[in-house]
Amino acid sequence: MPQYQTYPSKPSPDAGDIFLILDPADLTDSSEGTTKRTTVGAVVGHGHSGFSATLGQYLDTASLQASVDALMALTYTLPTIALTASPAPSLREKGDPVGAVALAAVTLRRSDAISAVAFYRDGVLLGAVAAPQAQGGTETMTDNGGFSDTVTYTSIVSDGTTTVSSNAVSYRFVYPYYFGVGAAGLTAVQVAGLTKAIIAQAPSKAVTTSPSGEVFYFAYPAAYGALSSITDTNGFETLADYTQRSATITGLDGTAQAYFIYEFNQPTSQTLFTNTYKL
């Protein structure tokens, strides 16, 4: 049977001995008047066997390291990575270019040391970090390519065992909506001079205006399809009170784009009147 010892009475334990540490908070047992002892481990090279209250199961280990690993429940965990970009990603009008983009990937080591970090643009390698921080940190890279159409950036981190991808950061570009009020029969160029909104294709768009003897206009890229409904500020269906026509409007990028223009059939005067246009 192993010999129980107290430190420092035996500073150099023999194989098979068990270390005992006195509990400084309560050195005596009130019922027995004996010194309390806490077993913390066996000499290196010797394991443990018996029921573990911590794990709730029978434990039989071959070494002290195995015992510690079992008690700590050490498991492999993936590294993490989060990507950000500057300027902040946003919805932009086609023809409004983005210049240099500063990328920053925040990595965190979990189990194994980080060995690789890289950045991608639309799935194509932009560049790899020469000496990534093993414990994790902020890795940076700048894309000076410039662009004026949709681009998506991602990054990856590897610990030599697993490669993890970051979130995606995207810059999106669209052709605008135009809406407002004006005289009847405005040309496409004149309609493009009304309020311009850089918005993504949406199921509906509410527009509030105050016409004075004018008609309502609503125009958007024809690729989105025809409107299915137009309701006024009182909730009445008014689609039949508009005339739809096809037209070409030149975008900021200099290209001719097909648009649908909806024009209200009768001049009207209203104050803060809301029409809701639905695809």
Side-chain angles (χ1 to χ4, degrees):
M1 174 178 293
Q3 298 300 307
Y4 291 92
Q5 305 291 337
T6 58
Y7 183 83
S9 64
K10 191 176 182 183
S12 301
D14 298 323
D17 285 352
I18 296 179
F19 296 110
L20 302 176
I21 295 179
L22 297 179
D23 185 345
D26 186 5
L27 295 178
T28 61
D29 186 299
S30 60
S31 63
E32 299 182 6
T34 58
T35 301
K36 283 189 171 183
R37 297 174 174 83
T38 303
T39 302
V40 296
V43 176
V44 175
H46 293 264
H48 297 87
S49 64
F51 183 82
S52 168
T54 302
L55 301 177
Q57 65 183 41
Y58 181 80
L59 181 66
D60 188 2
T61 62
S63 67
L64 173 60
Q65 185 63 54
S67 299
V68 173
D69 287 350
L71 291 172
M72 295 182 70
L74 297 177
T75 58
Y76 172 77
T77 306
L78 303 174
T80 64
I81 184 168
L83 180 65
T84 59
S86 179
S90 61
L91 188 67
R92 304 169 72 96
E93 182 178 2
K94 288 195 175 185
D96 178 17
V98 174
V101 175
L103 301 169
V106 178
T107 64
L108 177 63
R109 172 183 178 173
R110 302 301 294 277
S111 289
D112 299 335
I114 291 172
S115 58
V117 175
F119 295 87
Y120 291 80
R121 171 174 161 171
D122 290 335
V124 178
L125 179 65
L126 187 63
V129 177
Q133 301 172 68
Q135 302 303 316
T138 301
E139 311 289 3
T140 61
M141 183 165 290
T142 299
D143 179 14
N144 293 306
F147 50 88
S148 57
D149 207 345
T150 299
V151 163
T152 297
Y153 292 99
T154 54
S155 57
I156 62 97
V157 62
S158 176
D159 60 4
T161 299
T162 307
T163 297
V164 177
S165 296
S166 73
N167 54 298
V169 173
S170 297
Y171 295 82
R172 297 176 56 204
F173 293 78
V174 296
Y175 290 105
Y177 282 61
Y178 300 98
F179 46 77
V181 296
L186 292 184
T187 66
V189 172
Q190 291 171 318
V191 170
L194 300 176
T195 299
K196 177 168 68 173
I198 311 304
I199 56 178
Q201 178 182 357
S204 66
K205 172 63 179 175
V207 178
T208 300
T209 55
S210 298
S212 178
E214 299 168 300
V215 298
F216 303 113
Y217 286 94
F218 188 75
Y220 60 92
Y224 297 166
L227 294 179
S228 63
S229 170
I230 302 175
T231 53
D232 67 13
T233 199
N234 299 305
F236 293 114
E237 178 60 55
T238 60
L239 179 61
D241 296 322
Y242 283 77
T243 296
Q244 179 208 67
R245 72 179 191 264
S246 297
T248 297
I249 294 178
T250 301
L252 186 63
D253 60 1
T255 64
Q257 297 298 315
Y259 270 73
F260 283 145
I261 297 176
Y262 286 79
E263 179 181 340
F264 194 60
N265 294 332
Q266 296 293 330
T268 185
S269 295
Q270 305 288 343
T271 300
L272 299 178
F273 195 86
T274 300
N275 293 302
T276 301
Y277 302 89
K278 301 177 183 179
L279 291 172

